[in-house]
């Protein structure tokens, strides 16, 4: 295995998709992409109907709160379609993942975890994973709450296989809960998922990954080397396939299930692994480390997603939180000077992420939340083939939307920072936004769904023709 310059992503992924079981990779000198700018991305040009931010890109100041702007929220080329929120919430009522599924009868549903840290949602009479009927996106309707062990505390592991019609999660928390894996059938009626199994097959839980065909689920933990592959070929009888000494935050699998892309893999920024023997169900399967890389302004890598553009393979990666010691595992800091933000052969950074601005924003409401602040958490793309946009939950800065048709020159095109709700408790942060979830997409309606930890679920529409 060989470390490569952090921006050799295109070369690296090409190797990982085409290469064989090897620990070598193309040298950095063969990469013609060059070093990307670490400057903030250009601000979106906000069209009619927008309610733009008042100053620095991504910032919500104390003055914005005092004069009522934050209470109205900030929009740029977006509009609210519908929401399912808990007004005046005491705990956290939105979590880390939003998934969309359309069942065999054409019914449309949303799934999202209702807490950032179990059981802080209990004080608001919330529990588990919420199931929303999205037949009318202007009026999301709660049809079920999934409260089996893993769904009560899925942490960052909730995932849907569109191909298999199953919803799965592993019981987890910020460190490591026992790895009970729950599997639901959502294919027949997405509004009423059916529990197929709940089994202790995932070792320790925090995050997850699942092959697109739904046959292999990976239980991952960034704090313990306990990456575990689980066979879901028979979702009523999940079976452990392999477990290895690999720590991993979020991980994504290639379309054929033969490549795994590990964020924070064994303390690297990113690790790419050949897991084809697991996918082929060979006896005593072996995995092979293909390559790893890190980058200078790395905080805590959260997830990496493969996609292609004009036939070329790419990875989209996002870091979470901030740090004062770039690249240090779990070196999280309160308004740290280093923010990893996001990247896809070019950096996607807001002005609030820039080191020269960190002192200026330090006293903004929520900025010093050590597990929040002005930083990134999750990104997603609407399709793995030629996506036009990416959307990122950037905590205090809300949902940010980027044009990635030219991966070398991405542009911010829109954002939605939800209206701030009053709060009784001001720990760990005062009333503010806490956008942490991986978003879901409805491309045919130009909608994006995400959750805010302090208020709940939002369906927003991208306007003014920017998507």
């Amino acid at each position: 295995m060989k470390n490569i310059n952090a921006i050799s992503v295109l070369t690296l992924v090409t190797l990982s998709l085409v290469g064989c079981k090897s620990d070598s990779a193309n040298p950095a000198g063969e990469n013609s992409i060059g070093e990307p700018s670490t400057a903030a991305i250009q601000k979106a040009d906000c069209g009619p109907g927008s309610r733009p931010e008042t100053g620095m890109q991504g910032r919500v100041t104390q003055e914005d709160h005092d004069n009522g702007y934050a209470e109205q929220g900030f929009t740029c080329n977006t509009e609210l379609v519908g929401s399912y929120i808990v007004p005046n919430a005491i705990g956290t009522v939105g979590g880390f993942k939003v998934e969309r599924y359309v069942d065999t009868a054409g019914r449309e549903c949303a799934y999202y975890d209702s807490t950032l840290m179990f059981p802080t949602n209990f004080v608001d009479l919330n529990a588990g994973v919420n199931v929303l009927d999205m037949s009318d996106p202007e009026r999301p309707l709660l049809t079920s709450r999934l409260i089996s062990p893993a769904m009560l505390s899925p942490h960052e592991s909730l995932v849907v296989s569109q191909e298999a019609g199953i919803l799965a999660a592993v019981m987890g928390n910020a460190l490591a809960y026992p790895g009970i894996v729950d599997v639901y059938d959502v294919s027949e009626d997405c509004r009423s998922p059916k529990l197929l199994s709940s089994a202790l097959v995932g070792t320790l839980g925090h995050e997850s990954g699942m092959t697109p065909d739904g046959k292999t689920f990976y239980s991952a933990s960034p704090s313990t080397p306990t990456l575990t592959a689980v066979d879901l070929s028979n979702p009523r009888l999940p079976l452990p396939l392999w477990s290895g000494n690999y720590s991993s935050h979020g991980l994504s699998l290639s379309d054929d299930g033969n490549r795994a892309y590990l964020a924070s893999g064994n303390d690297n920024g990113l690790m790419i692994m050949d897991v084809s023997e697991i996918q082929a169900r060979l006896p005593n399967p072996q995995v092979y480390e293909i390559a790893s890389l890190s980058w200078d302004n790395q905080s805590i890598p959260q997830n990496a997603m493969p996609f292609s553009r004009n036939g070329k393979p790419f990875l989209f990666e996002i870091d979470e939180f901030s740090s004062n010691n770039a690249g240090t595992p779990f070196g999280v800091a309160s308004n740290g000077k280093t923010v990893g933000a996001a990247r896809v052969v070019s950096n996607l950074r807001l002005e609030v992420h820039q080191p020269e601005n960190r002192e200026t924003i330090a006293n903004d409401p929520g900025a010093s939340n050590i597990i929040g602040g002005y930083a990134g958490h999750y990104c997603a793309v609407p399709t793995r083939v030629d996506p036009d946009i990416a959307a990122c939950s950037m905590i205090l800065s809300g949902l940010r939307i980027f044009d990635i048709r030219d991966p070398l020159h991405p542009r911010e095109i829109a954002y939605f920072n939800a209206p701030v709700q009053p709060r009784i408790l001001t720990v760990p942060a005062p009333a503010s936004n806490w956008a942490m979830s991986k978003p879901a997409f409805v491309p045919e309606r130009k909608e994006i769904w995400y959750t805010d930890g302090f208020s709940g679920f939002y369906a927003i529409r991208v306007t003014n023709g920017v998507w």
Side-chain angles (χ1 to χ4, degrees), residues 312-446:
K312 295 181 179 180
F314 293 90
L315 281 178
F316 196 112
E317 191 277 339
I318 186 168
D319 288 4
E320 70 174 1
F321 307 148
S322 64
S323 172
N324 284 324
N325 299 292
T328 302
F330 304 104
V332 63
S334 173
N335 194 49
K337 60 185 179 182
T338 298
V339 178
R343 61 201 46 78
V344 51
V345 298
S346 294
N347 285 292
L348 283 77
R349 305 178 60 81
L350 307 182
E351 290 177 354
V352 291
H353 300 150
Q354 296 303 95
E356 64 270 21
N357 293 328
R358 300 300 282 179
E359 184 177 350
T360 301
I361 64 177
N363 294 322
D364 290 352
S368 295
N369 180 4
I370 196 169
I371 50 173
Y374 290 113
H377 197 260
Y378 264 118
C379 293
V381 293
T383 176
R384 287 189 172 192
V385 179
D386 291 336
D388 289 343
I389 67 163
C392 300
S393 290
M394 288 186 165
I395 315 183
L396 284 182
S397 303
L399 183 75
R400 316 301 290 206
I401 303 163
F402 304 94
D403 184 329
I404 60 167
R405 288 176 295 174
D406 180 356
L408 287 170
H409 304 96
R411 301 182 297 114
E412 185 186 47
I413 56 172
Y415 54 79
F416 181 87
N417 212 349
V420 171
Q421 303 288 322
R423 290 190 64 77
I424 297 173
L425 297 180
T426 58
V427 177
S432 59
N433 271 260
W434 207 353
M436 299 280 277
S437 78
K438 181 180 178 181
F441 300 85
V442 190
E444 63 270 25
R445 300 197 299 265
K446 308 299 183 188

Side-chain angles (χ1 to χ4, degrees), residues 5-11 28-38 344-347 407-408:
N5 179 285
I7 309 304
S8 298
V9 175
L10 178 57
T11 302
E30 291 183 19
N31 171 39
S32 62
I33 295 174
E35 294 295 334
S37 170
T38 56
V344 51
V345 298
S346 294
N347 285 292
L408 287 170

Side-chain angles (χ1 to χ4, degrees), residues 28-236:
E30 291 183 19
N31 171 39
S32 62
I33 295 174
E35 294 295 334
S37 170
T38 56
I41 202 165
Q42 184 176 346
K43 288 184 180 182
D45 183 8
C46 301
S50 300
R51 190 165 52 247
E53 294 162 339
T54 59
M56 187 186 298
Q57 183 186 34
R59 187 182 188 190
V60 184
T61 66
Q62 183 63 58
E63 184 179 0
D64 289 330
H65 284 258
D66 293 342
N67 62 24
Y69 290 161
E71 185 178 356
Q72 299 175 58
F74 298 98
T75 65
C76 178
N77 301 324
T78 58
E79 63 184 9
L80 179 65
V81 177
S83 62
Y84 186 86
I85 66 172
V86 179
N88 305 310
I90 301 172
T92 59
V93 292
F96 297 107
K97 294 284 185 71
V98 176
E99 295 282 358
R100 175 185 181 238
Y101 184 75
V102 179
D103 66 24
T104 54
R107 290 177 289 252
E108 186 177 2
C109 294
Y111 308 100
Y112 71 93
D113 43 322
S114 63
T115 185
L116 296 175
M117 183 66 71
F118 175 81
T120 60
N121 49 343
F122 277 15
V123 294
D124 295 293
L125 303 179
N126 277 256
V129 169
N130 284 345
V131 180
L132 298 181
D133 180 351
M134 296 297 291
S135 300
D136 180 358
E138 294 184 7
R139 297 173 180 81
L141 176 65
L142 182 70
T143 59
S144 182
R145 282 197 170 112
L146 309 183
I147 55 172
S148 52
M151 297 299 168
L152 277 175
S153 185
H155 206 63
E156 295 171 339
S157 71
L158 190 70
V159 63
V160 166
S161 166
Q162 301 292 330
E163 182 177 333
I166 59 173
L167 172 74
V170 59
M171 188 177 184
N173 65 7
L175 295 175
Y177 261 2
I180 298 173
V181 175
D182 292 349
V183 184
Y184 284 78
D185 176 22
V186 294
S187 62
E188 293 185 6
D189 188 345
C190 66
R191 303 167 301 177
S192 301
K194 296 179 180 178
L195 180 63
L196 299 177
S197 59
S198 184
L200 185 57
V201 290
T203 316
L204 298 173
H206 179 106
E207 245 275 17
S208 75
M210 186 156 61
T211 55
D213 63 12
K215 293 183 178 180
T216 312
F217 177 89
Y218 287 81
S219 170
S221 173
S223 58
T224 60
T226 56
L227 185 63
T228 301
V230 179
D231 184 2
L232 296 185
S233 299
N234 179 356
R236 297 182 183 275

